Amino acid sequence: MRLDKYLKVSRLIKRRTVANEACDSGLVCVNGRPARASYEVKEGDQITLRLGAREVTVEVLSVQETVRQADAAALYRQLS
């Protein structure tokens, strides 16, 4: 699954266009490297988001095309 779609499906970022812009701006890193929106997310990847003044790091536990809002947090584990 593309990185921008994963960020939207997992509800880390609300809209896919915002996720795409964050990737293009260099605010999203995967496994320590800046990633483009087209990066293919795999289980075990570590995604770091810089959202304003805070930084969020999560580990990908599962990749699913669609998920209910209540189950979205089960797609990742927050590391920091």
Side-chain angles (χ1 to χ4, degrees):
M1 174 185 303
R2 289 173 52 102
L3 178 58
D4 57 345
K5 185 170 182 179
Y6 181 82
L7 292 173
K8 184 215 177 269
V9 168
S10 65
R11 312 279 195 302
L12 289 167
I13 295 181
K14 273 191 176 200
R15 295 201 172 105
R16 190 166 176 183
T17 54
V18 175
N20 201 336
E21 291 170 3
C23 292
D24 290 343
S25 300
L27 300 176
V28 181
C29 295
V30 178
N31 299 326
R33 295 184 177 173
R36 300 183 57 100
S38 60
Y39 176 84
E40 285 295 316
V41 176
K42 301 173 285 304
E43 293 178 12
D45 283 344
Q46 288 189 358
I47 300 173
T48 303
L49 301 166
R50 284 186 306 216
L51 306 169
R54 66 183 197 150
E55 192 171 283
V56 177
T57 303
V58 297
E59 179 182 357
V60 177
L61 299 178
S62 176
V63 177
Q64 298 177 16
E65 289 293 322
T66 57
V67 130
R68 292 184 9 211
Q69 183 175 0
D71 301 329
L75 295 177
Y76 61 90
R77 178 179 64 201
Q78 190 163 350
L79 302 174
S80 66

